Amino acid sequence: NPRLLAAAVFCALCALAAASVPWFFSRGYTLYYGDAQAHLNIARSILDSRTPGYDQLGTVWLPFLHVICIPLVRNDALWRSGLAGAIPVALCFAVGGLWLYLAASEAYGSIRAALVALACFALNPNVLYLASIPMTEIAFFAGLALLLFAMLRFRAAPSPRLVALGIAASWSLSLTRYDGWFLIPFAALWFAWFAPARRWFVLAIFGALAALAPAFWMAHSWWETGNALDFFNGPYSAHAIQHGQPYPGYHDWARAILYYCVAGRLCAGWPLALLGVAGFAAAVIAKRAAPLCFLLLVPVFYIWSIHSSGNPIFLPPLWPHSYYNSRYGIALVLLFAFAAGAIVLVLPPRLRAFAFLLPLLAAAPWFIRPSTQHWICWKESQVNSVSRRAWTTAAVQFFVAHYAPGQGVLAASATGDVSGIFREAGVPLGDVLAVGNGPAWMAAVGRSDLLHVTAWAVAQSGDPVSRALQTTPQTPYHLVQRIEAPGAPPIEIYHR
C-alpha cells in the first residue's frame, strides 16, 4: 500500500530526527553556529523586545524560519537551550524527507530507487547536523522537495491543485533563502511546458503568484529601511560583510566552480559524489534526467553568488585554508542523493535486490571514521565559535553574578553574537536596548551623556556602543570588565 509505505517513511524520518536532535544537543552543539543563535533570537525578539512585533523580523534574513519558531521560542527553557529553533527544523527534515521520497517515486517510477535517494540524503551526518539546529538549509530543502514533487506529479497528471501546491512551495522557498527567488522562472516554465492547454496563461499565473513572496520582502525592506534592496546592498548584507575585499572565485568562474564543487564533495563524501555522477549518467540513459537538471539550479545559484555577490566559500583544502559557508555544499548532497536513486533503474533485475548497498556505500566514510571532526559543517561551526563560546561563558558568569532583572542593557544588537550572553544568562531581550529598537536606540548611542536609561552596556570593542561610550564626554558609563579571547575583539561591560 503506497500510503502505508509513505507513512512508514515519515515515521522513520521522525525517529531519525528524534535521535539526532538530542545527540547534538547533549553535546552542546545546537548553537555553535553564530547564525543559529541569531535566527533563534530574531524569533524571540518578535515576542520579547523593547519594541516587540513585526519590525523585529529585520531585513537581511528571510522570515520563514523565524516565524515557524515563534510557537516554541516563547518558552524560556526552550529558548535558552536552543531547542525552540532545533525542533521546527527537525520537523522540516521529516516533512521534506517524505516529499523527497514521493518526488523520487514520481521521477523514477520505483519505490526502491526512491528509498535509495532518500537514504543517501538522510544518512549524511552534515545533513543531520543542519537538521538538528536553527539553520535555514533544511527548511529550504523541505520546500524544494515539495516543489519538485508538485512539478513531477503535474507532468504525469496536470491539475490546478498541483499548480497551487507548487506556488505554496515556492513561497516557502522564497521566504527561507534567496535561492528560491532564482528558481521561480524555471518552475514557471516547467508548469507551462507540461500544461495541457493555455500554456502562456499557466506561465503568467505561476510566475506572477510565485513572485509575490520576493515582492513582499522587497516591500518589507523598503518599509523598514527606505531601501527595497537593503538585504542585498544594505549595511548587514553579504556585500557589506565582505567589505568589498576580493576572495577566491570573485569574478573568476573557474575558481567559483572549483570552490563550490569542493564544498559539495566535503559535505557529501567521495562515495556519494561518485554515486551522484554515475546516477546522473544513469538518469540520462533512462531518460529521467529532467528533475536532476532542476536540482542542479541551486548549485548554479551558489556558484553565481560566489562569482558575483560577495558570498565566498572558504575550505581547509583550499586557500586560505579556513572555514566559511561550507554548508552551501548541502545542495550538491541533495543532487547526488537524488541522482544515486537512478542507478537502480539501470541495474540488471537480478541485482536490484542489492540496491540497499548504495546508501551503505554512500555512508561508508562516516562509518569508517565516525568522528565529528570529519563532518565539514560541524567542524566549521566548532572552529568559528571557539572565541565566541569562550567570551560568552565569561560574560554570562559576570551577568549572573551582577545583573538584576529590569536594570536594562545597552547593546549593539539583541540578535547578534553578543545576544548569546543574554540568552544564556536569562536576561530577557525586553531588557536590551539595541539597534532594532528604533529612536530610543539612536538617542541612547548618540547622547549617552544625556540619555542613559539602562544600568549596563555590553559591547565588542569597536562596535557602535563601544565607540559611543568611549568618545562621548561625561558619559556616566564606566568600563568594569574587559573579556579577551584569542581571535576576537574584546568584550567590554560597562556600568552606569
Side-chain angles (χ1 to χ4, degrees):
N1 187 311
R3 291 187 177 181
L4 287 178
L5 184 56
V9 166
F10 181 69
C11 289
L13 289 165
C14 288
L16 184 57
S20 180
V21 171
W23 193 90
F24 288 106
F25 173 75
S26 65
R27 288 158 176 78
Y29 302 155
T30 303
L31 297 177
Y32 266 21
Y33 269 114
D35 286 1
Q37 180 170 266
H39 291 308
L40 183 72
N41 282 346
I42 289 172
R44 173 75 179 198
S45 68
I46 295 169
L47 307 172
D48 173 22
S49 169
R50 292 218 169 200
T51 53
Y54 174 80
D55 290 343
Q56 297 304 317
L57 284 175
T59 58
V60 176
W61 274 313
L62 290 158
F64 182 80
L65 176 59
H66 311 141
V67 171
I68 65 174
C69 290
I70 289 175
L72 296 180
V73 82
R74 65 174 64 245
N75 180 283
D76 283 353
L78 293 177
W79 168 54
R80 294 182 64 184
S81 67
L83 288 175
I87 293 171
V89 171
L91 288 174
C92 287
F93 168 76
V95 172
L98 175 61
W99 288 119
L100 177 64
Y101 162 77
L102 294 173
S105 296
E106 286 288 335
Y108 300 135
S110 165
I111 291 174
R112 187 177 283 117
L115 290 173
V116 167
L118 175 60
C120 286
F121 182 75
L123 296 178
N124 181 284
N126 290 298
V127 170
L128 289 173
Y129 179 48
L130 292 173
S132 304
I133 62 176
M135 296 289 279
T136 60
E137 282 73 20
I138 298 303
F140 181 84
F141 146 72
L144 180 60
L146 176 57
L147 176 59
L148 185 61
F149 168 78
M151 291 165 55
L152 292 168
R153 192 79 188 102
F154 183 85
R155 181 177 63 177
S159 164
R161 291 183 179 181
L162 292 169
V163 176
L165 185 64
I167 291 168
S170 180
W171 284 345
S172 75
L173 290 173
S174 295
L175 295 176
T176 303
R177 296 187 63 84
Y178 294 101
D179 328 10
W181 299 21
F182 179 69
L183 296 177
I184 290 174
F186 299 97
L189 286 170
W190 178 290
F191 280 103
W193 181 261
F194 291 105
R198 305 176 68 189
R199 290 180 175 177
W200 285 108
F201 178 75
V202 173
L203 177 67
I205 286 295
F206 186 96
L209 292 180
L212 287 177
F216 156 72
W217 195 246
M218 287 191 284
H220 165 85
S221 297
W222 173 83
W223 174 259
E224 295 293 334
T225 68
N227 176 13
L229 298 178
D230 184 75
F231 57 87
F232 178 72
N233 56 22
Y236 303 104
S237 64
H239 276 295
I241 293 171
Q242 193 58 29
H243 301 297
Q245 298 296 316
Y247 57 83
Y250 189 58
H251 292 169
D252 183 337
W253 285 112
R255 284 197 173 187
I257 293 170
L258 170 65
Y259 274 67
Y260 186 76
C261 288
V262 172
R265 192 266 298 171
L266 290 172
C267 286
W270 272 116
L272 180 56
L274 295 175
L275 286 174
V277 173
F280 209 113
V284 171
I285 293 171
K287 298 182 179 179
R288 305 293 178 93
L292 297 179
C293 293
F294 183 77
L295 292 177
L296 184 60
L297 291 171
V298 179
V300 168
F301 173 82
Y302 283 121
I303 292 169
W304 183 22
S305 297
I306 296 169
H307 178 272
S308 306
S309 298
N311 274 316
I313 291 179
F314 298 150
L315 304 161
L318 302 172
W319 185 88
H321 308 293
S322 58
Y323 297 84
Y324 189 62
N325 289 336
S326 64
R327 65 188 184 278
Y328 291 174
I330 290 296
L332 272 182
V333 178
L334 177 58
L335 175 63
F336 292 151
F338 203 94
I343 295 175
V344 176
L345 304 182
V346 298
L347 289 175
R350 66 180 181 277
L351 296 180
R352 289 178 185 173
F354 298 97
F356 70 91
L357 294 176
L358 294 172
L360 294 180
L361 179 60
W366 321 117
F367 291 128
I368 293 171
R369 298 192 298 173
S371 168
T372 54
Q373 298 295 324
H374 305 297
W375 306 351
I376 184 69
C377 294
W378 178 87
K379 188 62 179 177
E380 176 188 319
S381 70
Q382 184 262 335
V383 168
N384 291 344
S385 66
V386 169
S387 297
R388 174 169 52 82
R389 286 183 281 121
W391 56 249
T392 296
T393 299
V396 166
Q397 292 171 352
F398 180 92
F399 267 84
V400 168
H402 296 91
Y403 185 80
Q407 288 184 323
V409 187
L410 179 65
S413 173
T415 59
D417 286 348
V418 172
S419 66
I421 299 170
F422 313 134
R423 179 186 52 78
E424 290 192 31
V427 177
L429 296 187
D431 283 5
V432 181
L433 179 58
V435 67
N437 301 134
W441 148 261
M442 292 186 282
V445 172
R447 292 303 303 268
S448 65
D449 54 330
L450 296 177
L451 298 165
H452 30 84
V453 295
T454 64
W456 299 90
V458 178
Q460 274 190 299
S461 183
D463 76 10
V465 171
S466 175
R467 293 196 302 269
L469 299 188
Q470 291 185 14
T471 59
T472 302
Q474 299 179 340
T475 181
Y477 292 95
H478 302 283
L479 183 65
V480 294
Q481 185 82 352
R482 185 181 174 91
I483 302 169
E484 300 201 20
I491 293 297
E492 302 165 348
I493 300 177
Y494 298 83
H495 189 235
R496 190 188 72 212

